[in-house]
Amino acid sequence: MLRTISKVQDKLVGNIIINQKKLDDYSQHELAKTMSVVLTERLPESQLTVFEIVALGRQPYTNWLDKLSKEDIKKVLHALELTNVLHLKDRPFYKLSDGQLQRVLIARALAQDTEIIILDEPTAHLDIHHTYKIFSLLQELVKTTKKTILISTHEVNLALKLADSFVLISNEKLHSGNAKELMKQNAFSTLFPKELISFNKNLQQFVINKN
C-alpha cells in the first residue's frame, strides 16, 4: 500500500487523492515537494557526511547546479536539530550506528519539507531500545511539525501505545481508526493465528498464548 501511495508502483484499482488532487496528476517534481519516503534499504558506500546526506533532501528546491541557498542550509540544520543528530553533522555516515543512521534518514525526509512522510519498517534493523526511541521521535515530530507520518511496522504493541490511528490489513478485511475504535470492533484479533497470539483488551497489547 505504501509503495502505491508513494508512486513506486502503479495502483491496481481506484484512485489515491492527496489535497483534492489525484496522485496520477502529480508530476514527479510536485510529488517530491508533497511526499518524502524513508526506505529500509542500506545506503550505497560513499564518503558523504551526515550533513551532505540530509542536504540531499533539498534537491526538489535547489537550482540545476544543486547549490544550497541560505534557506536550504537553514532547513538542513533545523532537520538535524529536530532529530537530535546536529552534533554528528560532520561525521561520515558509514561511521554511524544503525539508530543514528535511521535518525539521519528521517532528518533527510524532514529537510525535504513535505506535508507527508512515509517510512517503511523504520525500526527493522534496531534493537528494542532504539526502536522505542525512533517511535517516540516520530510521535514528537507529528506534534512539533504538524506533518502526516505514515509507517508500516511489525512492532504492533509499540504502535498501540504511540500511533494516532491504524490501518489493519488482513486476508479477510481492512480496518481503520484509532486504537479504541479498533478494539471495540475486535479488529486486532484478526492479525495473528489465535492459537499462538491473542489480543488482551485489559492490557491493550498482544500476548503469547501458553500451552
Side-chain angles (χ1 to χ4, degrees):
M1 184 177 71
L2 294 187
R3 288 171 62 86
T4 304
I5 293 173
S6 58
K7 219 174 180 179
V8 173
Q9 67 184 46
D10 292 334
K11 65 182 186 296
L12 298 177
V13 293
N15 289 299
I16 297 169
I17 309 296
I18 301 175
N19 291 333
Q20 291 78 53
K21 182 177 179 179
K22 290 183 180 179
L23 181 64
D24 292 340
D25 295 335
Y26 278 84
S27 68
Q28 288 299 326
H29 190 255
E30 287 176 319
L31 195 61
K33 291 185 175 183
T34 304
M35 179 189 305
S36 50
V37 181
V38 180
L39 301 175
T40 54
E41 286 84 352
R42 299 284 185 174
L43 295 176
E45 292 186 13
S46 74
Q47 299 296 316
L48 292 177
T49 65
V50 166
F51 180 90
E52 290 167 334
I53 290 288
V54 177
L56 291 174
R58 297 303 300 167
Q59 282 188 333
Y61 308 93
T62 55
N63 57 34
W64 63 277
L65 292 173
D66 282 341
K67 185 177 180 180
L68 296 174
S69 66
K70 289 182 179 180
E71 181 63 19
D72 292 322
I73 294 172
K74 182 180 177 181
K75 294 278 188 181
V76 171
L77 293 175
H78 185 52
L80 289 166
E81 186 176 2
L82 283 173
T83 50
N84 300 312
V85 289
L86 183 59
H87 62 291
L88 301 173
K89 67 183 180 67
D90 297 320
R91 183 177 298 184
F93 86 86
Y94 64 84
K95 290 187 177 181
L96 301 177
S97 68
D98 287 340
Q100 289 171 334
L101 180 58
Q102 195 61 39
R103 285 175 174 269
V104 169
L105 296 179
I106 294 170
R108 182 178 64 182
L110 287 171
Q112 196 171 329
D113 199 19
T114 58
E115 296 176 63
I116 302 169
I117 300 176
I118 292 178
L119 301 101
D120 178 25
E121 292 288 350
T123 59
H125 306 297
L126 305 182
D127 59 29
I128 190 168
H129 169 69
H130 288 98
T131 294
Y132 182 82
K133 291 184 74 172
I134 290 297
F135 267 84
S136 297
L137 169 65
L138 295 175
Q139 184 187 49
E140 184 62 27
L141 289 174
V142 170
K143 294 176 182 177
T144 56
T145 67
K146 307 303 180 184
K147 296 180 184 297
T148 297
I149 297 181
L150 305 176
I151 73 168
S152 64
T153 183
H154 287 89
E155 302 288 346
V156 189
N157 279 340
L158 195 52
L160 279 165
K161 302 294 184 185
L162 300 176
D164 295 315
S165 60
F166 299 80
V167 176
L168 302 182
I169 302 174
S170 67
N171 293 330
E172 301 174 358
K173 198 172 181 181
L174 183 146
H175 297 271
S176 63
N178 61 39
K180 288 184 178 180
E181 291 168 342
L182 296 190
M183 282 183 222
K184 288 181 180 179
Q185 300 171 29
N186 293 317
F188 293 114
S189 63
T190 66
L191 282 185
F192 300 108
K194 293 180 180 179
E195 64 273 15
L196 299 176
I197 300 173
S198 61
F199 184 74
N200 187 307
K201 286 188 176 181
N202 292 327
L203 298 175
Q204 297 187 8
Q205 65 179 16
F206 288 90
V207 295
I208 298 174
N209 295 326
K210 297 180 180 180
N211 295 327

